[in-house]
Amino acid sequence: MDVALKKRHVQRAYEFYAPVYDFIFDWIFAPGRSAAIAQLALQPTETVLEIGIGTGLNLPLYPATCRLTGIDLSEEMLDKAVERVGELAMPNVRLKVMDAASMDFADGEFDKALATYTISAVPDPVGVLREMRRVVKPGGTMVILNHFRSERRVAGRLEDLIAPVCTRLGWKSNLAMAPLLKKVDLVPEVVMKVNMFNGWRLIGCVNRK
Ligand SMILES: C[S@@+](CC[C@H](N)C(=O)[O-])C[C@H]1O[C@@H](n2cnc3c(N)ncnc32)[C@H](O)[C@@H]1O
């Protein structure tokens, strides 16, 4: 059974998760976060867009000089990120409620973009990656960190089986990596396995146009 992830599922789910998100997801996902920011290789004054920034768990990992824009569909998640920006005193960060599938940024506005644990939580991953390509300048870096459908037969089938439940909870358990990247014409320069059981993929791409 294919149950589509809808915008309202995502908004409802993350309204519910916002107060507890950091307690549950911080330590589990931490190794991948550090690897993802390192993969961006940010240079002083570069502009970076974080898509689906959530509560801002990546914020302490950014270099103080970088100019960061963070967007998220969920106001409740973004409110937590606003608090964190205040606590960390990061003057170069701007945060906006925005749908990553239709962003109001100019073409090539950013040097780099990052999406951690977000691509399987968006209703339209192809649309989001197309938008990400549009707003990153040609030759810019795109880093994606996510769990994708397992290529092992049994694990992959299991992820298909639980997909309808996961969709109700606000994410896709069986998003396949290779077809997704092919649809948006992205060829990864780097693919690394990260986090517990090596169950997540860190993908680094150059935005070739
Ligand atoms: C699993 S959380 C990850 C949050 C954060 N990136 C992190 O690393 O902890 C997924 C986030 O994606 C956001 N999201 C889902 N669909 C989105 C969309 N179309 N545009 C922007 N954000 C979206 C959710 O609101 C949620 O905050």
Side-chain angles (χ1 to χ4, degrees):
M1 182 173 51
D2 185 22
V3 180
L5 182 62
K6 306 242 165 62
K7 215 163 148 173
R8 65 184 157 84
H9 290 144
V10 173
Q11 281 164 321
R12 252 194 248 140
Y14 286 95
E15 180 181 354
F16 175 76
Y17 295 139
V20 293
Y21 184 87
D22 293 0
F23 298 108
I24 303 170
F25 295 108
D26 189 5
W27 66 275
I28 306 177
F29 290 161
R33 293 183 189 288
S34 306
I37 301 282
Q39 188 63 40
L40 277 175
L42 284 165
Q43 302 304 309
T45 76
E46 275 184 334
T47 52
V48 57
L49 170 68
E50 187 175 332
I51 285 172
I53 190 167
T55 62
L57 283 172
N58 294 331
L59 285 167
L61 305 172
Y62 284 101
T65 50
C66 81
R67 288 179 292 148
L68 170 69
T69 301
I71 63 155
D72 203 285
L73 197 58
S74 162
E75 254 184 84
E76 290 78 11
M77 293 288 276
L78 208 62
D79 284 347
K80 297 278 173 192
V82 170
E83 277 172 32
R84 190 167 258 122
V85 166
E87 284 160 17
L88 295 168
M90 298 176 83
N92 298 334
V93 177
R94 62 175 172 155
L95 298 171
K96 280 182 138 186
V97 175
M98 199 186 290
D99 185 347
S102 57
M103 295 190 266
D104 63 15
F105 301 122
D107 296 357
E109 186 163 333
F110 299 95
D111 296 309
K112 296 180 174 175
L114 174 69
T116 60
Y117 312 113
T118 293
I119 286 301
S120 60
V122 301
D124 176 10
V126 171
V128 168
L129 287 181
R130 285 205 176 115
E131 271 293 86
M132 203 166 163
R133 292 202 63 181
R134 181 185 70 76
V135 301
V136 170
K137 71 178 187 192
T141 304
M142 296 170 56
V143 175
I144 300 152
L145 167 60
N146 219 88
H147 172 76
F148 291 99
R149 187 182 187 279
S150 175
E151 277 148 15
R152 281 175 294 158
R153 212 161 58 94
V154 176
R157 292 299 303 272
L158 197 67
E159 286 164 353
D160 292 341
L161 270 177
I162 62 169
V165 177
C166 293
T167 300
R168 295 280 161 195
L169 297 174
W171 77 90
K172 296 184 180 99
S173 54
N174 61 348
L175 181 66
M177 183 180 85
L180 174 67
L181 295 182
K182 198 165 178 216
K183 274 184 197 152
V184 293
D185 211 7
L186 267 179
V187 181
E189 311 267 310
V190 178
V191 180
M192 278 191 276
K193 294 179 180 178
V194 292
N195 290 342
M196 232 189 313
F197 312 120
N198 280 333
W200 282 258
R201 296 284 179 281
L202 175 61
I203 306 167
C205 306
V206 173
N207 194 21
R208 301 196 195 286
K209 296 199 181 174

